[in-house]
Amino acid sequence: MNKTKYFLEVFKKAEKKYGQYEKRLAGDDWPRDWQTLIATIMSAQTRDEVTIPAAEKLFERYNSLEKLSKARASDVLKIIRPVNFSRTKAKNVVNACKILVKDYGGRVPDDIGELVKLPGVGRKTANLVLSEVHAKEGICVDTHVHRISNVIGLVNTKMPTETEFALMKIAPRKYWSRVNRLFVLWGKEVPGRNKKRLLTYLNTR
């Protein structure tokens, strides 16, 4: 099988079905770069429908990076408690903001090696920030991307990071940053590991 050809067939169907969807995901449409980063840190293993309202409340209370960097983790925790692993995330949010202010002059790094040094930032979050904030190519692999890519046979991997690197080999670079949104929207509508159901759903209106 020509995996690149197969990827393009699937990608184009996904883009046709979901490319115009207006549904907001956790990393979408934040006015400031640091907000995109923090909301994405908060979104790990948490539904977007939970993350977005919690992030909005957090940014209403702390409307600048500097203010959030000086917040107490206990106060942040009270606001973001609905998200999963909120206690750890509250600490990571504050510490990440401190580092951004101290070491990066308030700017969000545009290098994946620098991003993953931040508390609570793995390759998934880093790649999303690269594409959303800096318009750089990166394949953000969350549970939906990992599951779908394996179920439909694009890759054969055990871990999300393995999926990222496997997809990088078969997907043309210009499509990398669009994979996550399309596959997440697809994955939200079609749970499970039924290949036929996943692929058939792309052909429905």
Side-chain angles (χ1 to χ4, degrees), residues 164-194:
E164 177 195 342
F165 287 109
L167 287 174
M168 287 169 68
K169 293 179 181 178
I170 65 174
R173 180 179 285 267
K174 66 180 180 178
Y175 298 120
W176 287 4
S177 61
R178 287 149 60 196
V179 169
N180 182 263
R181 177 173 177 80
L182 296 176
F183 279 39
V184 167
L185 293 171
W186 182 12
K188 282 176 176 287
E189 292 196 339
V190 192
R193 304 186 66 83
N194 187 308

PDB file of all heavy atoms in Angstrom, residues 164-194:
ATOM      1  N   GLU A 164       3.067  10.281  15.805  1.00  0.00           N
ATOM      2  CA  GLU A 164       3.509  11.565  15.236  1.00  0.00           C
ATOM      3  C   GLU A 164       4.615  11.360  14.216  1.00  0.00           C
ATOM      4  O   GLU A 164       4.532  11.842  13.075  1.00  0.00           O
ATOM      5  CB  GLU A 164       4.005  12.489  16.351  1.00  0.00           C
ATOM      6  CG  GLU A 164       4.556  13.812  15.841  1.00  0.00           C
ATOM      7  CD  GLU A 164       5.364  14.569  16.881  1.00  0.00           C
ATOM      8  OE1 GLU A 164       5.242  14.267  18.085  1.00  0.00           O
ATOM      9  OE2 GLU A 164       6.136  15.471  16.485  1.00  0.00           O
ATOM     10  N   PHE A 165       5.650  10.630  14.603  1.00  0.00           N
ATOM     11  CA  PHE A 165       6.790  10.447  13.702  1.00  0.00           C
ATOM     12  C   PHE A 165       6.431   9.569  12.509  1.00  0.00           C
ATOM     13  O   PHE A 165       6.953   9.781  11.400  1.00  0.00           O
ATOM     14  CB  PHE A 165       7.981   9.878  14.463  1.00  0.00           C
ATOM     15  CG  PHE A 165       8.635  10.881  15.382  1.00  0.00           C
ATOM     16  CD1 PHE A 165       8.530  10.775  16.763  1.00  0.00           C
ATOM     17  CD2 PHE A 165       9.336  11.960  14.859  1.00  0.00           C
ATOM     18  CE1 PHE A 165       9.119  11.712  17.601  1.00  0.00           C
ATOM     19  CE2 PHE A 165       9.929  12.903  15.682  1.00  0.00           C
ATOM     20  CZ  PHE A 165       9.817  12.780  17.062  1.00  0.00           C
ATOM     21  N   ALA A 166       5.536   8.594  12.716  1.00  0.00           N
ATOM     22  CA  ALA A 166       5.109   7.754  11.596  1.00  0.00           C
ATOM     23  C   ALA A 166       4.312   8.575  10.581  1.00  0.00           C
ATOM     24  O   ALA A 166       4.494   8.425   9.358  1.00  0.00           O
ATOM     25  CB  ALA A 166       4.277   6.582  12.115  1.00  0.00           C
ATOM     26  N   LEU A 167       3.424   9.445  11.069  1.00  0.00           N
ATOM     27  CA  LEU A 167       2.641  10.291  10.173  1.00  0.00           C
ATOM     28  C   LEU A 167       3.525  11.292   9.436  1.00  0.00           C
ATOM     29  O   LEU A 167       3.263  11.634   8.270  1.00  0.00           O
ATOM     30  CB  LEU A 167       1.551  11.026  10.949  1.00  0.00           C
ATOM     31  CG  LEU A 167       0.362  10.184  11.429  1.00  0.00           C
ATOM     32  CD1 LEU A 167      -0.561  11.014  12.310  1.00  0.00           C
ATOM     33  CD2 LEU A 167      -0.415   9.618  10.245  1.00  0.00           C
ATOM     34  N   MET A 168       4.562  11.763  10.091  1.00  0.00           N
ATOM     35  CA  MET A 168       5.474  12.706   9.442  1.00  0.00           C
ATOM     36  C   MET A 168       6.132  12.100   8.213  1.00  0.00           C
ATOM     37  O   MET A 168       6.484  12.812   7.265  1.00  0.00           O
ATOM     38  CB  MET A 168       6.543  13.162  10.440  1.00  0.00           C
ATOM     39  CG  MET A 168       6.032  14.124  11.502  1.00  0.00           C
ATOM     40  SD  MET A 168       7.212  14.394  12.851  1.00  0.00           S
ATOM     41  CE  MET A 168       8.524  15.272  12.002  1.00  0.00           C
ATOM     42  N   LYS A 169       6.274  10.779   8.223  1.00  0.00           N
ATOM     43  CA  LYS A 169       6.917  10.100   7.093  1.00  0.00           C
ATOM     44  C   LYS A 169       5.982   9.932   5.897  1.00  0.00           C
ATOM     45  O   LYS A 169       6.447   9.809   4.770  1.00  0.00           O
ATOM     46  CB  LYS A 169       7.425   8.726   7.542  1.00  0.00           C
ATOM     47  CG  LYS A 169       8.562   8.772   8.543  1.00  0.00           C
ATOM     48  CD  LYS A 169       8.977   7.369   8.956  1.00  0.00           C
ATOM     49  CE  LYS A 169      10.112   7.409   9.980  1.00  0.00           C
ATOM     50  NZ  LYS A 169      10.497   6.036  10.430  1.00  0.00           N
ATOM     51  N   ILE A 170       4.686   9.912   6.146  1.00  0.00           N
ATOM     52  CA  ILE A 170       3.755   9.645   5.046  1.00  0.00           C
ATOM     53  C   ILE A 170       2.901  10.846   4.648  1.00  0.00           C
ATOM     54  O   ILE A 170       2.384  10.903   3.537  1.00  0.00           O
ATOM     55  CB  ILE A 170       2.825   8.459   5.382  1.00  0.00           C
ATOM     56  CG1 ILE A 170       1.909   8.788   6.545  1.00  0.00           C
ATOM     57  CG2 ILE A 170       3.645   7.199   5.673  1.00  0.00           C
ATOM     58  CD1 ILE A 170       0.863   7.711   6.821  1.00  0.00           C
ATOM     59  N   ALA A 171       2.760  11.811   5.544  1.00  0.00           N
ATOM     60  CA  ALA A 171       1.924  12.976   5.252  1.00  0.00           C
ATOM     61  C   ALA A 171       2.773  14.118   4.703  1.00  0.00           C
ATOM     62  O   ALA A 171       3.774  14.491   5.327  1.00  0.00           O
ATOM     63  CB  ALA A 171       1.197  13.435   6.515  1.00  0.00           C
ATOM     64  N   PRO A 172       2.399  14.696   3.565  1.00  0.00           N
ATOM     65  CA  PRO A 172       3.114  15.873   3.075  1.00  0.00           C
ATOM     66  C   PRO A 172       3.106  16.979   4.128  1.00  0.00           C
ATOM     67  O   PRO A 172       2.101  17.205   4.802  1.00  0.00           O
ATOM     68  CB  PRO A 172       2.312  16.286   1.835  1.00  0.00           C
ATOM     69  CG  PRO A 172       1.676  15.003   1.369  1.00  0.00           C
ATOM     70  CD  PRO A 172       1.342  14.263   2.630  1.00  0.00           C
ATOM     71  N   ARG A 173       4.233  17.658   4.271  1.00  0.00           N
ATOM     72  CA  ARG A 173       4.407  18.640   5.339  1.00  0.00           C
ATOM     73  C   ARG A 173       3.315  19.710   5.343  1.00  0.00           C
ATOM     74  O   ARG A 173       2.890  20.154   6.416  1.00  0.00           O
ATOM     75  CB  ARG A 173       5.784  19.304   5.192  1.00  0.00           C
ATOM     76  CG  ARG A 173       6.086  20.350   6.241  1.00  0.00           C
ATOM     77  CD  ARG A 173       7.475  20.948   6.054  1.00  0.00           C
ATOM     78  NE  ARG A 173       8.514  20.028   6.476  1.00  0.00           N
ATOM     79  CZ  ARG A 173       9.044  20.003   7.693  1.00  0.00           C
ATOM     80  NH1 ARG A 173       8.604  20.850   8.620  1.00  0.00           N
ATOM     81  NH2 ARG A 173       9.999  19.163   8.000  1.00  0.00           N
ATOM     82  N   LYS A 174       2.832  20.105   4.191  1.00  0.00           N
ATOM     83  CA  LYS A 174       1.858  21.198   4.146  1.00  0.00           C
ATOM     84  C   LYS A 174       0.527  20.831   4.805  1.00  0.00           C
ATOM     85  O   LYS A 174      -0.283  21.715   5.104  1.00  0.00           O
ATOM     86  CB  LYS A 174       1.622  21.648   2.710  1.00  0.00           C
ATOM     87  CG  LYS A 174       0.959  20.621   1.812  1.00  0.00           C
ATOM     88  CD  LYS A 174       0.776  21.199   0.409  1.00  0.00           C
ATOM     89  CE  LYS A 174       0.111  20.203  -0.524  1.00  0.00           C
ATOM     90  NZ  LYS A 174      -0.100  20.786  -1.880  1.00  0.00           N
ATOM     91  N   TYR A 175       0.319  19.540   5.067  1.00  0.00           N
ATOM     92  CA  TYR A 175      -0.923  19.116   5.700  1.00  0.00           C
ATOM     93  C   TYR A 175      -0.780  18.873   7.206  1.00  0.00           C
ATOM     94  O   TYR A 175      -1.768  18.653   7.902  1.00  0.00           O
ATOM     95  CB  TYR A 175      -1.438  17.825   5.050  1.00  0.00           C
ATOM     96  CG  TYR A 175      -1.763  17.956   3.590  1.00  0.00           C
ATOM     97  CD1 TYR A 175      -1.108  17.175   2.640  1.00  0.00           C
ATOM     98  CD2 TYR A 175      -2.727  18.852   3.144  1.00  0.00           C
ATOM     99  CE1 TYR A 175      -1.404  17.288   1.293  1.00  0.00           C
ATOM    100  CE2 TYR A 175      -3.021  18.975   1.793  1.00  0.00           C
ATOM    101  CZ  TYR A 175      -2.361  18.189   0.875  1.00  0.00           C
ATOM    102  OH  TYR A 175      -2.654  18.308  -0.457  1.00  0.00           O
ATOM    103  N   TRP A 176       0.430  18.882   7.707  1.00  0.00           N
ATOM    104  CA  TRP A 176       0.673  18.475   9.094  1.00  0.00           C
ATOM    105  C   TRP A 176      -0.199  19.203  10.100  1.00  0.00           C
ATOM    106  O   TRP A 176      -0.816  18.591  10.954  1.00  0.00           O
ATOM    107  CB  TRP A 176       2.146  18.688   9.465  1.00  0.00           C
ATOM    108  CG  TRP A 176       3.084  17.713   8.846  1.00  0.00           C
ATOM    109  CD1 TRP A 176       2.791  16.725   7.943  1.00  0.00           C
ATOM    110  CD2 TRP A 176       4.489  17.621   9.074  1.00  0.00           C
ATOM    111  NE1 TRP A 176       3.917  16.027   7.589  1.00  0.00           N
ATOM    112  CE2 TRP A 176       4.974  16.557   8.279  1.00  0.00           C
ATOM    113  CE3 TRP A 176       5.377  18.334   9.868  1.00  0.00           C
ATOM    114  CZ2 TRP A 176       6.325  16.200   8.270  1.00  0.00           C
ATOM    115  CZ3 TRP A 176       6.723  17.987   9.860  1.00  0.00           C
ATOM    116  CH2 TRP A 176       7.186  16.921   9.060  1.00  0.00           C
ATOM    117  N   SER A 177      -0.230  20.513  10.027  1.00  0.00           N
ATOM    118  CA  SER A 177      -0.903  21.303  11.066  1.00  0.00           C
ATOM    119  C   SER A 177      -2.423  21.189  11.010  1.00  0.00           C
ATOM    120  O   SER A 177      -3.111  21.625  11.940  1.00  0.00           O
ATOM    121  CB  SER A 177      -0.491  22.781  10.965  1.00  0.00           C
ATOM    122  OG  SER A 177      -0.868  23.310   9.722  1.00  0.00           O
ATOM    123  N   ARG A 178      -2.958  20.592   9.940  1.00  0.00           N
ATOM    124  CA  ARG A 178      -4.413  20.476   9.818  1.00  0.00           C
ATOM    125  C   ARG A 178      -4.931  19.106  10.226  1.00  0.00           C
ATOM    126  O   ARG A 178      -6.143  18.897  10.330  1.00  0.00           O
ATOM    127  CB  ARG A 178      -4.829  20.798   8.384  1.00  0.00           C
ATOM    128  CG  ARG A 178      -4.718  22.284   8.082  1.00  0.00           C
ATOM    129  CD  ARG A 178      -4.382  22.578   6.640  1.00  0.00           C
ATOM    130  NE  ARG A 178      -5.358  22.072   5.693  1.00  0.00           N
ATOM    131  CZ  ARG A 178      -5.120  21.952   4.388  1.00  0.00           C
ATOM    132  NH1 ARG A 178      -3.938  22.278   3.907  1.00  0.00           N
ATOM    133  NH2 ARG A 178      -6.052  21.505   3.578  1.00  0.00           N
ATOM    134  N   VAL A 179      -4.018  18.164  10.435  1.00  0.00           N
ATOM    135  CA  VAL A 179      -4.426  16.806  10.785  1.00  0.00           C
ATOM    136  C   VAL A 179      -5.211  16.787  12.092  1.00  0.00           C
ATOM    137  O   VAL A 179      -6.270  16.158  12.192  1.00  0.00           O
ATOM    138  CB  VAL A 179      -3.200  15.869  10.884  1.00  0.00           C
ATOM    139  CG1 VAL A 179      -3.591  14.542  11.513  1.00  0.00           C
ATOM    140  CG2 VAL A 179      -2.593  15.640   9.506  1.00  0.00           C
ATOM    141  N   ASN A 180      -4.713  17.464  13.112  1.00  0.00           N
ATOM    142  CA  ASN A 180      -5.322  17.362  14.429  1.00  0.00           C
ATOM    143  C   ASN A 180      -6.773  17.790  14.440  1.00  0.00           C
ATOM    144  O   ASN A 180      -7.639  17.051  14.917  1.00  0.00           O
ATOM    145  CB  ASN A 180      -4.521  18.171  15.458  1.00  0.00           C
ATOM    146  CG  ASN A 180      -5.100  18.049  16.857  1.00  0.00           C
ATOM    147  OD1 ASN A 180      -5.850  18.904  17.316  1.00  0.00           O
ATOM    148  ND2 ASN A 180      -4.771  16.959  17.533  1.00  0.00           N
ATOM    149  N   ARG A 181      -7.061  18.970  13.944  1.00  0.00           N
ATOM    150  CA  ARG A 181      -8.441  19.462  14.005  1.00  0.00           C
ATOM    151  C   ARG A 181      -9.396  18.520  13.276  1.00  0.00           C
ATOM    152  O   ARG A 181     -10.465  18.173  13.802  1.00  0.00           O
ATOM    153  CB  ARG A 181      -8.540  20.865  13.419  1.00  0.00           C
ATOM    154  CG  ARG A 181      -9.973  21.377  13.413  1.00  0.00           C
ATOM    155  CD  ARG A 181     -10.102  22.833  13.001  1.00  0.00           C
ATOM    156  NE  ARG A 181     -11.497  23.213  12.950  1.00  0.00           N
ATOM    157  CZ  ARG A 181     -12.227  23.540  14.016  1.00  0.00           C
ATOM    158  NH1 ARG A 181     -11.683  23.534  15.213  1.00  0.00           N
ATOM    159  NH2 ARG A 181     -13.492  23.869  13.905  1.00  0.00           N
ATOM    160  N   LEU A 182      -9.029  18.092  12.083  1.00  0.00           N
ATOM    161  CA  LEU A 182      -9.919  17.234  11.307  1.00  0.00           C
ATOM    162  C   LEU A 182     -10.149  15.889  11.984  1.00  0.00           C
ATOM    163  O   LEU A 182     -11.277  15.398  12.087  1.00  0.00           O
ATOM    164  CB  LEU A 182      -9.345  17.023   9.904  1.00  0.00           C
ATOM    165  CG  LEU A 182      -9.226  18.270   9.027  1.00  0.00           C
ATOM    166  CD1 LEU A 182      -8.558  17.930   7.706  1.00  0.00           C
ATOM    167  CD2 LEU A 182     -10.593  18.899   8.789  1.00  0.00           C
ATOM    168  N   PHE A 183      -9.059  15.287  12.481  1.00  0.00           N
ATOM    169  CA  PHE A 183      -9.181  13.968  13.099  1.00  0.00           C
ATOM    170  C   PHE A 183      -9.873  14.044  14.464  1.00  0.00           C
ATOM    171  O   PHE A 183     -10.565  13.110  14.864  1.00  0.00           O
ATOM    172  CB  PHE A 183      -7.804  13.315  13.230  1.00  0.00           C
ATOM    173  CG  PHE A 183      -7.312  12.654  11.967  1.00  0.00           C
ATOM    174  CD1 PHE A 183      -7.520  13.225  10.727  1.00  0.00           C
ATOM    175  CD2 PHE A 183      -6.629  11.456  12.023  1.00  0.00           C
ATOM    176  CE1 PHE A 183      -7.056  12.620   9.554  1.00  0.00           C
ATOM    177  CE2 PHE A 183      -6.173  10.831  10.870  1.00  0.00           C
ATOM    178  CZ  PHE A 183      -6.379  11.419   9.628  1.00  0.00           C
ATOM    179  N   VAL A 184      -9.698  15.142  15.173  1.00  0.00           N
ATOM    180  CA  VAL A 184     -10.383  15.308  16.455  1.00  0.00           C
ATOM    181  C   VAL A 184     -11.891  15.418  16.235  1.00  0.00           C
ATOM    182  O   VAL A 184     -12.691  14.765  16.925  1.00  0.00           O
ATOM    183  CB  VAL A 184      -9.853  16.535  17.217  1.00  0.00           C
ATOM    184  CG1 VAL A 184     -10.784  16.894  18.380  1.00  0.00           C
ATOM    185  CG2 VAL A 184      -8.460  16.258  17.758  1.00  0.00           C
ATOM    186  N   LEU A 185     -12.308  16.240  15.286  1.00  0.00           N
ATOM    187  CA  LEU A 185     -13.730  16.375  14.992  1.00  0.00           C
ATOM    188  C   LEU A 185     -14.316  15.041  14.538  1.00  0.00           C
ATOM    189  O   LEU A 185     -15.427  14.663  14.948  1.00  0.00           O
ATOM    190  CB  LEU A 185     -13.939  17.453  13.926  1.00  0.00           C
ATOM    191  CG  LEU A 185     -13.611  18.883  14.359  1.00  0.00           C
ATOM    192  CD1 LEU A 185     -13.649  19.833  13.165  1.00  0.00           C
ATOM    193  CD2 LEU A 185     -14.577  19.363  15.440  1.00  0.00           C
ATOM    194  N   TRP A 186     -13.584  14.333  13.733  1.00  0.00           N
ATOM    195  CA  TRP A 186     -13.981  13.008  13.255  1.00  0.00           C
ATOM    196  C   TRP A 186     -14.071  12.034  14.434  1.00  0.00           C
ATOM    197  O   TRP A 186     -15.061  11.321  14.600  1.00  0.00           O
ATOM    198  CB  TRP A 186     -12.949  12.555  12.229  1.00  0.00           C
ATOM    199  CG  TRP A 186     -13.168  11.232  11.561  1.00  0.00           C
ATOM    200  CD1 TRP A 186     -14.285  10.448  11.571  1.00  0.00           C
ATOM    201  CD2 TRP A 186     -12.208  10.553  10.748  1.00  0.00           C
ATOM    202  NE1 TRP A 186     -14.075   9.313  10.821  1.00  0.00           N
ATOM    203  CE2 TRP A 186     -12.820   9.353  10.304  1.00  0.00           C
ATOM    204  CE3 TRP A 186     -10.894  10.837  10.355  1.00  0.00           C
ATOM    205  CZ2 TRP A 186     -12.151   8.440   9.488  1.00  0.00           C
ATOM    206  CZ3 TRP A 186     -10.237   9.933   9.541  1.00  0.00           C
ATOM    207  CH2 TRP A 186     -10.852   8.749   9.105  1.00  0.00           C
ATOM    208  N   GLY A 187     -13.054  12.035  15.263  1.00  0.00           N
ATOM    209  CA  GLY A 187     -13.004  11.116  16.392  1.00  0.00           C
ATOM    210  C   GLY A 187     -14.086  11.374  17.423  1.00  0.00           C
ATOM    211  O   GLY A 187     -14.593  10.436  18.057  1.00  0.00           O
ATOM    212  N   LYS A 188     -14.458  12.624  17.610  1.00  0.00           N
ATOM    213  CA  LYS A 188     -15.517  12.949  18.560  1.00  0.00           C
ATOM    214  C   LYS A 188     -16.855  12.369  18.091  1.00  0.00           C
ATOM    215  O   LYS A 188     -17.694  11.961  18.906  1.00  0.00           O
ATOM    216  CB  LYS A 188     -15.649  14.472  18.707  1.00  0.00           C
ATOM    217  CG  LYS A 188     -14.587  15.121  19.600  1.00  0.00           C
ATOM    218  CD  LYS A 188     -14.764  16.633  19.595  1.00  0.00           C
ATOM    219  CE  LYS A 188     -13.790  17.309  20.537  1.00  0.00           C
ATOM    220  NZ  LYS A 188     -14.127  17.105  21.945  1.00  0.00           N
ATOM    221  N   GLU A 189     -17.070  12.333  16.797  1.00  0.00           N
ATOM    222  CA  GLU A 189     -18.340  11.848  16.260  1.00  0.00           C
ATOM    223  C   GLU A 189     -18.370  10.326  16.117  1.00  0.00           C
ATOM    224  O   GLU A 189     -19.440   9.723  16.134  1.00  0.00           O
ATOM    225  CB  GLU A 189     -18.623  12.508  14.900  1.00  0.00           C
ATOM    226  CG  GLU A 189     -18.896  14.004  15.001  1.00  0.00           C
ATOM    227  CD  GLU A 189     -19.532  14.564  13.751  1.00  0.00           C
ATOM    228  OE1 GLU A 189     -19.412  13.936  12.677  1.00  0.00           O
ATOM    229  OE2 GLU A 189     -20.152  15.639  13.837  1.00  0.00           O
ATOM    230  N   VAL A 190     -17.198   9.722  15.948  1.00  0.00           N
ATOM    231  CA  VAL A 190     -17.149   8.272  15.737  1.00  0.00           C
ATOM    232  C   VAL A 190     -16.178   7.643  16.736  1.00  0.00           C
ATOM    233  O   VAL A 190     -14.988   7.499  16.459  1.00  0.00           O
ATOM    234  CB  VAL A 190     -16.721   7.925  14.292  1.00  0.00           C
ATOM    235  CG1 VAL A 190     -16.961   6.433  14.031  1.00  0.00           C
ATOM    236  CG2 VAL A 190     -17.456   8.768  13.274  1.00  0.00           C
ATOM    237  N   PRO A 191     -16.665   7.262  17.910  1.00  0.00           N
ATOM    238  CA  PRO A 191     -15.803   6.588  18.878  1.00  0.00           C
ATOM    239  C   PRO A 191     -15.580   5.131  18.480  1.00  0.00           C
ATOM    240  O   PRO A 191     -16.177   4.634  17.516  1.00  0.00           O
ATOM    241  CB  PRO A 191     -16.614   6.681  20.173  1.00  0.00           C
ATOM    242  CG  PRO A 191     -18.039   6.726  19.717  1.00  0.00           C
ATOM    243  CD  PRO A 191     -18.028   7.477  18.418  1.00  0.00           C
ATOM    244  N   GLY A 192     -14.725   4.468  19.216  1.00  0.00           N
ATOM    245  CA  GLY A 192     -14.522   3.048  18.980  1.00  0.00           C
ATOM    246  C   GLY A 192     -13.441   2.736  17.968  1.00  0.00           C
ATOM    247  O   GLY A 192     -12.776   3.626  17.436  1.00  0.00           O
ATOM    248  N   ARG A 193     -13.313   1.433  17.679  1.00  0.00           N
ATOM    249  CA  ARG A 193     -12.211   0.963  16.837  1.00  0.00           C
ATOM    250  C   ARG A 193     -12.717   0.150  15.654  1.00  0.00           C
ATOM    251  O   ARG A 193     -12.121  -0.849  15.240  1.00  0.00           O
ATOM    252  CB  ARG A 193     -11.228   0.145  17.677  1.00  0.00           C
ATOM    253  CG  ARG A 193     -10.686   0.895  18.900  1.00  0.00           C
ATOM    254  CD  ARG A 193      -9.620   0.115  19.629  1.00  0.00           C
ATOM    255  NE  ARG A 193      -8.424  -0.041  18.825  1.00  0.00           N
ATOM    256  CZ  ARG A 193      -7.462   0.877  18.719  1.00  0.00           C
ATOM    257  NH1 ARG A 193      -7.567   2.031  19.369  1.00  0.00           N
ATOM    258  NH2 ARG A 193      -6.408   0.657  17.973  1.00  0.00           N
ATOM    259  N   ASN A 194     -13.840   0.592  15.093  1.00  0.00           N
ATOM    260  CA  ASN A 194     -14.409  -0.080  13.929  1.00  0.00           C
ATOM    261  C   ASN A 194     -13.969   0.659  12.670  1.00  0.00           C
ATOM    262  O   ASN A 194     -14.440   1.754  12.373  1.00  0.00           O
ATOM    263  CB  ASN A 194     -15.943  -0.101  14.037  1.00  0.00           C
ATOM    264  CG  ASN A 194     -16.589  -0.925  12.938  1.00  0.00           C
ATOM    265  OD1 ASN A 194     -16.316  -0.732  11.765  1.00  0.00           O
ATOM    266  ND2 ASN A 194     -17.467  -1.848  13.345  1.00  0.00           N
TER     267      ASN A 194
END
